[in-house]
Amino acid sequence: MTATMDSQQPYADTAYRSNRKQPVLSEPNQQSALFQKGWTMGPPLSRERLSYVYPTVFVDIWTPEGLRDNEAEEERKGVTELEKRHTYHGRLDEEVIRYATLPKTSWILLWMRHGGRAIFLMLFPVFLLTWIVGWTFLEGPDVTFNEFFLEGVLPLIVYMFCPLLFCWWFGAFLEKKFPQIIYQEPKGPLWELSRQTGQVTVFHHPEKSDKPGQIDAQAPFHEWDGYMLSLPDHQGNIWYRLVLVHKTQEWALPLNQLVAATTLREDVLAYWDLIRQYMDVTKPLPDIPLFEAYRRLDPTTAEHDEKKGRDPQHWRNMDDESYKTFQKDNLTKLHKHKWN
């Protein structure tokens, strides 16, 4: 289904409105038993009253300090986020939440740099301590320091730590001098949630398909249900993640790129509420730092903020201590809320 925009209306006629009765799907269910078993564990998540509680990652990553840093970076570059956002494959604004991942080559180079750094800093102190303790116990006429170093220390330095240092240095060099090599333009997005049109879109995978950027599946938000999938690990911990599943088609969209699989069940439920609030044009955008720059551009949100007398730079001007208090309050509400 292709959404159309009316020049007289701020949103498409297909935009999701929670106060509007949604049409019942007339097409028969085409999902196999195997598909349902894999993707629809338990009943769909509730579409009742919103909690207005937010996933911890959304309030931990996007902060007032980050807003101020972005503002300074924009002033340095002379280009604002609003001006450059349409050139990106990935977006998080008042129009769409669109996720795109870097090409495989970019991830390899990033893992080379950050992985080399992390492993070196984690292992080198351990081995250094082991070498010191080992030499203390082995020191004597039978083993000289040169023998201990050449046979027990040097091979590890040459074959383990030198390659790790090279990966760290080379990756940092590329990121600083040739960032375009590491941060290559994505071939296409993976999925998109459009507030303006109400559509949920799944694109052909850019690394697994010869049709990157082309639509693989698309349907209005009301045709998708939210499910919380759970999976135990080897230690017996239960990990949860959010997935959207179409009501009749064999279309499943895991949304764990923004909120990764977590042992905190409430985080996934809050994530579902955030998605519902974002897609619902009868509600303002979620009031978190992430959307502060875009609130005035969304008609429903702008009207809501004007009525409430909300400071347009509420989050941007908030001091760090006040924001920490907000984070703690949000976490408390996350645990205490009576989730359906």
Side-chain angles (χ1 to χ4, degrees):
M1 181 185 295
T2 302
T4 58
M5 295 294 293
D6 187 332
S7 60
Q8 302 299 317
Q9 299 293 332
Y11 307 109
D13 54 4
T14 54
Y16 176 67
R17 295 169 173 85
S18 60
N19 60 0
R20 180 174 62 185
K21 186 177 181 180
Q22 305 298 340
V24 178
L25 293 179
S26 58
E27 61 183 10
N29 193 324
Q30 302 180 39
Q31 297 172 354
S32 66
L34 182 62
F35 176 87
Q36 292 180 346
K37 184 177 180 180
W39 292 106
T40 60
M41 300 179 185
L45 297 177
S46 171
R47 285 185 182 260
E48 299 300 321
R49 186 176 179 179
L50 293 169
S51 65
Y52 297 102
V53 180
Y54 305 109
T56 52
V57 66
F58 272 80
V59 299
D60 288 347
I61 292 181
W62 291 281
T63 65
E65 182 181 9
L67 293 180
R68 295 188 287 269
D69 290 343
N70 289 340
E71 186 180 89
E73 184 69 9
E74 289 174 352
E75 290 180 359
R76 186 182 69 81
K77 292 183 177 180
V79 180
T80 67
E81 177 70 22
L82 297 179
E83 292 172 323
K84 69 183 181 181
R85 62 178 175 162
H86 289 287
T87 64
Y88 285 172
H89 285 296
R91 287 174 59 183
L92 283 163
D93 54 37
E94 87 288 355
E95 295 180 358
V96 297
I97 296 178
R98 181 188 302 146
Y99 181 81
T101 186
L102 293 170
K104 189 180 297 183
T105 304
S106 296
W107 283 115
I108 291 174
L109 293 173
L110 284 171
W111 275 109
M112 183 178 71
R113 185 218 165 160
H114 296 287
R117 173 181 177 273
I119 296 174
F120 178 86
L121 294 178
M122 180 175 60
L123 294 184
F124 188 73
V126 175
F127 279 100
L128 183 62
L129 180 62
T130 302
W131 292 329
I132 293 174
V133 173
W135 170 243
T136 301
F137 282 103
L138 291 176
E139 182 181 8
D142 296 333
V143 180
T144 65
F145 178 78
N146 284 341
E147 291 174 331
F148 173 75
F149 180 81
L150 292 175
E151 296 179 11
V153 178
L154 187 61
L156 281 173
I157 292 178
V158 172
Y159 296 111
M160 177 182 289
F161 292 110
C162 283
L164 289 174
L165 280 173
F166 175 78
C167 289
W168 180 3
W169 169 82
F170 185 65
F173 172 78
L174 287 179
E175 191 169 14
K176 183 177 181 180
K177 298 294 185 180
F178 305 99
Q180 69 277 10
I181 294 179
I182 290 186
Y183 299 106
Q184 299 176 28
E185 190 74 6
K187 296 179 182 179
L190 292 178
W191 52 264
E192 175 185 284
L193 307 178
S194 174
R195 177 174 168 89
Q196 283 201 326
T197 67
Q199 299 292 310
V200 175
T201 305
V202 182
F203 298 93
H204 287 278
H205 198 291
E207 298 292 338
K208 302 177 182 178
S209 171
D210 58 356
K211 297 183 286 185
Q214 296 185 34
I215 295 175
D216 185 30
Q218 186 182 66
F221 181 64
H222 70 266
E223 294 185 8
W224 300 76
D225 285 324
Y227 287 89
M228 181 166 57
L229 299 191
S230 59
L231 186 68
D233 62 17
H234 295 297
Q235 285 73 41
N237 299 312
I238 303 297
W239 293 81
Y240 303 97
R241 62 173 177 163
L242 177 65
V243 60
L244 298 185
V245 180
H246 193 267
K247 294 178 184 294
T248 59
Q249 300 291 329
E250 286 196 345
W251 299 341
L253 173 57
L255 296 180
N256 52 292
Q257 294 90 352
L258 298 182
V259 175
T262 173
T263 56
L264 187 59
R265 175 178 175 272
E266 293 82 2
D267 247 348
V268 175
L269 296 172
Y271 186 24
W272 170 239
D273 271 11
L274 183 144
I275 294 298
R276 289 198 296 135
Q277 182 182 353
Y278 176 85
M279 292 297 289
D280 187 356
V281 296
T282 69
K283 303 285 194 302
L285 291 169
D287 198 353
I288 51 178
L290 168 62
F291 295 113
E292 175 125 299
Y294 312 110
R295 296 184 68 83
R296 62 182 177 83
L297 302 176
D298 181 74
T300 300
T301 308
E303 181 181 356
H304 170 272
D305 289 354
E306 185 177 1
K307 288 181 179 179
K308 294 289 185 179
R310 182 188 183 277
D311 179 3
Q313 293 190 319
H314 169 74
W315 295 114
R316 187 257 179 234
N317 294 334
M318 182 176 288
D319 62 84
D320 293 340
E321 287 302 316
S322 297
Y323 191 70
K324 287 179 182 178
T325 300
F326 163 75
Q327 290 174 306
K328 292 179 182 177
D329 290 343
N330 183 76
L331 186 60
T332 299
K333 293 176 181 177
L334 192 72
H335 289 291
K336 290 188 175 181
H337 183 77
K338 294 182 179 180
W339 301 97
N340 295 324

